[in-house]
Amino acid sequence: MTTGLSSAPRTLRVALMGNPNTGKTTLFNRLTGSRQKIGNYPGVTVEKKFGSWEYGGRTVVLVDLPGTYSLAAASPDERVALDFLTGNLAGEQPPDAVICVVDASNIVRNLFLASQVADLGLPLVIALNMADAADKAGIIIDTALLSRRLGVPVVRTVATKGDGIEALEKAVNHVVDDRSLMACVPWPESVDRAMARLAEGVDEAGVQRLSPGELRRVLFDPRSAVLERAGWPADADPALLLAPARGILAADGIQPASAEALLRYEHLGHLTADAIRFPEKRRRTWTERVDAVLTHRVWGMAVFILMMFLVFQSIYSWAGPFMEAIETGVAWVQELVAPWLEPWPALQSLAVDGVVGGVGGVVIFLPQILILFFFIALLEDTGYMARGAFLMDRIFGWCGLNGKSFVPMLSSYACAIPGILATRTIEDPRARLTTILVAPLMSCSARLPVYTLLIGAFIEPAYGAAAAGLTLFAMHFVGLAVAVPVAWGMNKFILRTHPQPFLLEIPPYRRPRLRDILWRMWERAREFLVRAGTVIVAITVIIWALVYFPRPDSVGARVESELAASGAGVEDISRRIDAAYIEQSYLARAGRAVQPLFEPAGFDWKITVGVLASFPAREVIIATLGTIYGVGTDADEESDDLRSALARDVWTGGRRAGEPVFTVPVALAIMVFFALCLQCGATVAVMAKESNWGWAVFAFCYMTFLAWAGAVLTYQLGTRWLAL
Amino acid sequence: MSPGICPLAAMRVGECGRVQPVQADHPAVPRLLAMGLLPGTEVRMVQIAPLGDPVEIEFRGMRLSLRKADAAAVMVDLAENG
C-alpha cells in the first residue's frame, strides 16, 4: 500500500457530481473551505467551480460539476458533465476519481447517475448525504453492506453539519490507489453487438472515435450531443448510423428508448434490496402539511405575493441607506483626492470623475446584490423556490420563460444587475437567456429620477397630481408590456436551441443554515466585483474621456471674459464654463450629429446629448442636463432650478424657432425612451458575463431601437392625434 | 387496452396509477425515465397548480412538478389500484 502511494501522483483531480437538491454545493463548500475559484467552461455558460484540500500528502483539486439526473448530454449541463468525465472538454483531463453525492432518502434514483459514471471506468466514492433526514424518515441503511454490493466506498455525510467530511477525503485517497469501480450493469449481449456496430459506422465515416462509454450514450440517447462533437461532414446524417445499431436491440426485444433506464434501475434495485429498509407505513410528512397551505390555490398565491413584495421592498427601500452611505463615502474620497491633483486638471478629473466615480458606480450595487441573494439563498435552501416556480410557471411558460423567471424579473424592478445574476437559478438555458434579455426592460429604480423630474416639471403642472401619479404608475408597466411579446418573439424566431422540458423536483422543506446563506451572498458579491466591476470601471473611464475632451483653454477664457464683463459671480462663471466645455465635447458633437435621428421624437440637441451621455448610466441625465443648462452638476430631480430651466428653453432655429423645447409629448417621449433603453453600462457588462458579449450587444441594439421607436411613436401620437 | 388507461396529465388529484410502456419521441421522456418514472412505476397525482398548469406528481418517494404538455407523453393505468 505504501509503495502504491509513493508512485501515485501528488495532485489528484476529483469531480463532484450528483442530482440537484442533494446538498452538493454545501458539501463542496465543506470540502474545500475558502479555497475556491469560479469561472466558466469555454463556449458554454455553465459555471465552473473548483477548490482543493490536502490529504495524506496529496493536494486534491475538486471540480464541482453541474447537478444533473443523467449523463444523457441533452442539456448543456449534462454535456459539460459528460465531456469533463471523458476528457473531451478543452484544456481538461479526465478526473482521477469521482465523488457522487446521493440523497440518503432516495438512494436508488440517485445511484442512476453514479452507475452511468461507473460505465465510464472512473473510480467512485458515494457520499450518502443528508443521512440525518433519512434517519428521521425511518429509512434504515446498512452502509457497509451497500458498499460491498456496489463495490465502492459509501460514506455517510451530513454536509450542513460537516459530518463525514474527513471520512470522505480518506475514501477519495483510497479509491484512487485501489481504482475501485462500481459494479456495472450486466448488459445483455445484444447491447455489446449494437455498440460494436455503431463503432464500425463511426470508423467508416472517418470522424473522431468514441470511447465505449460515449458509444453507449449515443446508442441510448438519440438527443445526445456526443454525436455532434465527433465532427461530421455537412452532408452526413449521424441518425442513419444509429438505425442499424438500434435495430439490433429491437430485434432482441429491447426497446432502445427505455432500455437503459429499465436495465439500470433493475440492476440497482437488486444491488440495494437488502441494504435499505423503508418504514412499513408511510407517514404524512411535515412537508406535506406545510405544502397544503403554501401551494394552496388561494393561500399559496397570497403567501407568494407577500413574500415577493417583501423581497422587492427589501431591495427597493432597505438598500437605500446603504447606497446613500456608499455615495457619501465616494464623494468623501473624491474630495480627498481632488486637492492633491489640483495642478493637473485633466488628471484630477480622470481620477475623481473617471476612476473613483467608476469604482463607486460598481460598489453602489453591492447592497442590492447582497440583500437579494440573502433572500434567494433563503428561498432556495428552504425549498420554497421550487414552490414559487410551481405557482408561477403558467404565467411565464407560454412566452418561453418559466416559473423561475419570476424572481429575476421582479428584482429587475429594483435593479437589473441583481436580477440578471439571479437568473442563475433557472436551469433551462433557453429560458435563462430569454430572462436575461428581457430583464433590463423592467423599470429599475435608476429610471425613477428621470420620471420624477419630467412628471414634476410638465405633467403635474398641466394635469394635476392624480395624472402625475397615474403616469408614474404607467411608466412602470411600459417595459413589462413590451417584455412579454419580446420574450415570445425571441423564442419563436431567434433562439433555435431545443426547448428543455420544465421538470422541477419539489424537495422536502429544509432548515436553512445561516453560514451557507452568508457564503452564497459573499460568493455572488465577490464575483460581481471581479468579473463585471472591471468592465464597468473601464466603460466609465471611456465615457468620462468623451465628455471631458477636447479641452482647449480658449473656450474657458472666452466664456470668462464674456461673463466678467457682464458682472456675473464666480460660481455662475464656473457653471457657464462647464456648460461651454460640454457643448463642444466629443459627446456633444456626436449628439449634434445624431440629433436629426431624434427629430421625429421631438428631441433637440441638448436632449440628444443628455440621452447619449446617459448610455453608461441613465441617472446621469439629470446631472448632464444640469450642466448643459448651466444650473450646476449638483442638480437633482426635485431641483426647481432645473425644472424651470427646462420649461423656459425654446428652439433657437429651424421651423420650430421660438417654440418651447419641452412639451408634454416631448416629456412623455423622453420617459418612454428611458423606460425601454438599455442605458446602463453595468447591466451590459453583467449580461456579457452571464451570457456572452454577442447577446449583450444584441440586447443593447434591440432595446435602443425599441426605445427610439417608442419615443417617436409617443411624440407623434401625442402631437398629431391627441394634440397634447 | 384496459379501460383505466389515461394520460398522466388527465389524472385527478389523489389518484394513483401505474406507468405504461412509453414512446420516446417526446423530449421529456428520456428525462422522466432517468428520474425513475419507468413502465410499471406507481405514480400519484399530488396537486394541480392554482392556474391549472403545471401538475405535481409523486413517485419513488420523490415529488416532481411538470407541465401538462410533458405529462401528456406518459400513459398510466388507473385500474390496477382499484
Side-chain angles (χ1 to χ4, degrees):
Chain A
M1 202 64 219
T2 42
T3 52
L5 259 179
S6 60
S7 67
R10 292 231 343 118
T11 300
L12 301 181
R13 287 160 42 81
V14 175
L16 186 68
M17 305 202 61
N19 293 5
N21 303 306
T22 51
K24 189 165 71 71
T25 306
T26 310
L27 192 64
F28 179 81
N29 290 343
R30 287 290 178 278
L31 281 165
T32 61
S34 56
R35 288 183 295 177
Q36 298 186 6
K37 285 205 173 106
I38 301 178
N40 266 38
Y41 291 104
V44 284
T45 52
V46 178
E47 188 177 84
K48 177 188 178 180
K49 224 163 86 172
F50 54 102
S52 66
W53 72 79
E54 309 280 335
Y55 190 91
R58 283 166 164 163
T59 303
V60 182
V61 177
L62 186 70
V63 180
D64 188 20
L65 294 178
T68 61
Y69 292 101
S70 127
L71 288 181
S75 77
D77 278 358
E78 291 170 355
R79 187 174 176 176
V80 161
L82 180 65
D83 283 353
F84 184 88
L85 295 178
T86 54
N88 274 302
L89 214 55
E92 305 279 356
Q93 295 290 312
D96 297 300
V98 177
I99 299 174
C100 200
V101 190
V102 163
D103 175 1
S105 307
N106 207 330
I107 295 178
V108 173
R109 192 206 74 206
N110 279 257
L111 282 176
F112 181 85
L113 179 67
S115 90
Q116 286 186 326
V117 176
D119 272 357
L120 300 174
L122 293 166
L124 198 66
V125 177
I126 304 289
L128 217 53
N129 198 29
M130 304 192 291
D132 53 345
D135 290 345
K136 228 179 247 171
I139 300 169
I140 300 162
I141 306 159
D142 185 340
T143 316
L145 183 63
L146 191 61
S147 176
R148 271 208 306 283
R149 293 269 188 270
L150 297 176
V152 292
V154 176
V155 181
R156 266 178 66 98
T157 58
V158 182
T160 49
K161 293 179 187 155
D163 294 355
I165 299 303
E166 214 193 318
L168 198 56
E169 293 177 352
K170 190 175 163 196
V172 167
N173 237 13
H174 174 78
V175 296
V176 172
D177 296 326
D178 264 21
R179 292 202 60 78
S180 313
L181 299 177
M182 189 171 135
C184 280
V185 178
W187 298 106
E189 173 273 336
S190 57
V191 171
D192 293 332
R193 265 191 294 132
M195 279 168 61
R197 176 75 194 81
L198 199 57
E200 271 171 39
V202 172
D203 273 351
E204 282 164 23
V207 293
Q208 187 195 328
R209 298 190 81 167
L210 299 174
S211 70
E214 291 172 303
L215 284 172
R216 192 173 288 119
R217 295 266 45 90
V218 172
L219 182 65
F220 290 131
D221 299 309
R223 286 183 176 76
S224 172
V226 173
L227 265 184
E228 287 168 28
R229 192 187 55 224
W232 297 86
D235 55 339
D237 182 6
L240 288 179
L241 208 71
L242 274 174
R246 295 186 130 220
I248 294 175
L249 294 184
D252 194 28
I254 298 175
Q255 203 202 11
S258 54
E260 185 192 13
L262 279 171
L263 290 167
R264 276 197 208 282
Y265 273 102
E266 193 190 349
H267 173 63
L268 293 170
H270 285 316
L271 287 182
T272 56
D274 52 354
I276 311 168
R277 229 175 48 237
F278 289 94
E280 286 290 307
K281 183 133 177 61
R282 233 187 119 271
R283 287 171 278 189
R284 186 162 188 241
T285 60
W286 184 70
T287 290
E288 281 169 82
R289 274 188 288 250
V290 175
D291 261 349
V293 177
L294 290 189
T295 55
H296 186 269
R297 60 181 56 230
V298 178
W299 305 126
M301 283 299 207
V303 170
F304 179 79
I305 291 167
L306 208 72
M307 294 256 227
M308 290 303 117
F309 180 73
L310 183 74
V311 171
F312 180 70
Q313 267 303 312
S314 66
I315 38 180
Y316 200 82
S317 325
W318 301 355
F322 297 102
M323 294 169 82
E324 275 163 32
I326 291 172
E327 272 173 359
T328 313
V330 170
W332 182 78
V333 174
Q334 285 173 325
E335 276 166 33
L336 197 74
V337 173
W340 287 71
L341 300 168
E342 200 71 61
W344 309 280
L347 193 65
Q348 184 193 36
S349 181
L350 170 66
V352 171
D353 299 327
V355 178
V356 179
V359 171
V362 173
V363 178
I364 196 81
F365 293 113
L366 276 186
Q368 290 183 330
I369 290 176
L370 288 171
I371 293 175
L372 178 63
F373 275 93
F374 170 78
F375 280 107
I376 286 182
L378 195 67
L379 294 176
E380 286 206 310
D381 289 1
T382 51
Y384 184 74
M385 191 68 106
R387 274 77 183 182
F390 174 72
L391 294 173
M392 286 295 119
D393 186 58
R394 183 65 192 270
I395 298 177
F396 291 99
W398 69 275
C399 61
L401 306 172
N402 72 37
K404 287 202 167 178
S405 306
F406 192 88
V407 170
M409 302 266 278
L410 182 83
S411 312
S412 299
Y413 265 101
C415 175
I417 290 173
I420 289 168
L421 295 177
T423 60
R424 293 269 175 100
T425 55
I426 305 173
E427 291 88 1
D428 176 4
R430 180 158 131 165
R432 175 161 182 248
L433 181 58
T434 313
T435 311
I436 290 175
L437 292 175
V438 299
L441 282 169
M442 305 302 113
S443 189
C444 71
S445 53
R447 285 164 169 117
L448 198 58
V450 184
Y451 301 156
T452 314
L453 172 74
L454 294 169
I455 291 175
F458 302 103
I459 309 293
E460 199 173 345
Y463 301 101
L470 194 67
T471 311
L472 186 62
F473 189 70
M475 290 319 298
H476 281 85
F477 273 92
V478 170
L480 185 64
V482 170
V484 169
V486 165
W488 182 84
M490 247 172 242
N491 266 281
K492 187 99 181 148
F493 305 112
I494 298 169
L495 304 176
R496 297 288 178 139
T497 53
H498 290 291
Q500 303 283 330
F502 184 61
L503 303 179
L504 186 67
E505 192 177 346
I506 308 285
Y509 286 109
R510 290 183 188 125
R511 183 206 297 269
R513 298 265 158 178
L514 188 63
R515 183 176 156 175
D516 294 316
I517 291 177
L518 292 177
W519 180 260
R520 290 260 292 281
M521 290 163 65
W522 159 239
E523 201 176 66
R524 285 291 162 248
R526 185 187 54 177
E527 223 190 318
F528 168 75
L529 289 179
V530 175
R531 294 172 70 194
T534 43
V535 181
I536 297 170
V537 173
I539 294 176
T540 314
V541 170
I542 292 170
I543 298 293
W544 165 84
L546 291 177
V547 177
Y548 190 83
F549 293 111
R551 208 145 181 107
D553 290 335
S554 57
V555 172
R558 178 176 50 79
V559 175
E560 204 165 351
S561 65
E562 274 174 26
L563 288 175
S566 69
V570 178
E571 216 167 285
D572 194 30
I573 294 177
S574 109
R575 283 206 298 262
R576 295 296 180 84
I577 292 176
D578 285 344
Y581 272 119
I582 201 171
E583 267 183 46
Q584 54 88 58
S585 69
Y586 289 122
L587 194 78
R589 291 176 196 190
R592 284 207 174 81
V594 298
Q595 190 271 334
L597 270 179
F598 288 95
E599 180 81 33
F603 295 5
D604 73 343
W605 74 267
K606 288 176 192 158
I607 302 175
T608 310
V609 170
V611 162
L612 288 192
S614 314
F615 271 96
R618 47 178 69 87
E619 60 274 20
V620 166
I621 180 90
I622 312 286
T624 311
L625 288 178
T627 308
I628 297 176
Y629 282 95
V631 295
T633 49
D634 50 356
D636 65 29
E637 65 274 19
E638 306 284 349
S639 150
D640 286 333
D641 282 357
L642 183 55
R643 284 183 182 179
S644 50
L646 296 183
R648 275 198 312 269
D649 194 25
V650 290
W651 289 86
T652 51
R655 59 184 171 83
R656 276 178 290 196
E659 291 175 27
V661 172
F662 285 88
T663 60
V664 170
V666 170
L668 287 175
I670 297 173
M671 285 195 275
V672 167
F673 188 90
F674 274 78
L676 299 180
C677 199
L678 183 40
Q679 289 168 303
C680 183
T683 301
V684 177
V686 168
M687 288 176 108
K689 294 298 169 190
E690 294 296 305
S691 55
N692 59 48
W693 277 104
W695 285 118
V697 169
F698 169 77
F700 180 80
C701 295
Y702 99 77
M703 284 182 66
T704 305
F705 172 75
L706 275 182
W708 176 82
V712 169
L713 196 71
T714 307
Y715 179 74
Q716 297 296 341
L717 273 177
T719 46
R720 283 166 200 239
W721 285 285
L722 301 176
L724 287 170
Chain B
M1 232 186 223
S2 100
I5 290 185
C6 79
L8 176 58
M11 284 171 80
R12 276 175 303 209
V13 173
E15 273 184 336
C16 296
R18 218 171 262 282
V19 177
Q20 297 296 295
V22 290
Q23 294 305 313
D25 46 9
H26 193 287
V29 165
R31 285 168 180 274
L32 290 170
L33 286 168
M35 288 178 169
L37 193 73
L38 309 174
T41 303
E42 222 178 276
V43 57
R44 184 172 70 93
M45 176 62 72
V46 179
Q47 60 171 342
I48 298 167
L51 300 172
D53 202 15
V55 300
E56 184 183 332
I57 58 171
E58 183 181 7
F59 59 95
R60 287 181 187 271
M62 135 193 210
R63 290 164 51 187
L64 182 75
S65 154
L66 73 171
R67 291 181 181 155
K68 282 185 169 173
D70 294 324
V74 178
M75 301 297 285
V76 288
D77 188 350
L78 301 175
E80 287 186 29
N81 59 83

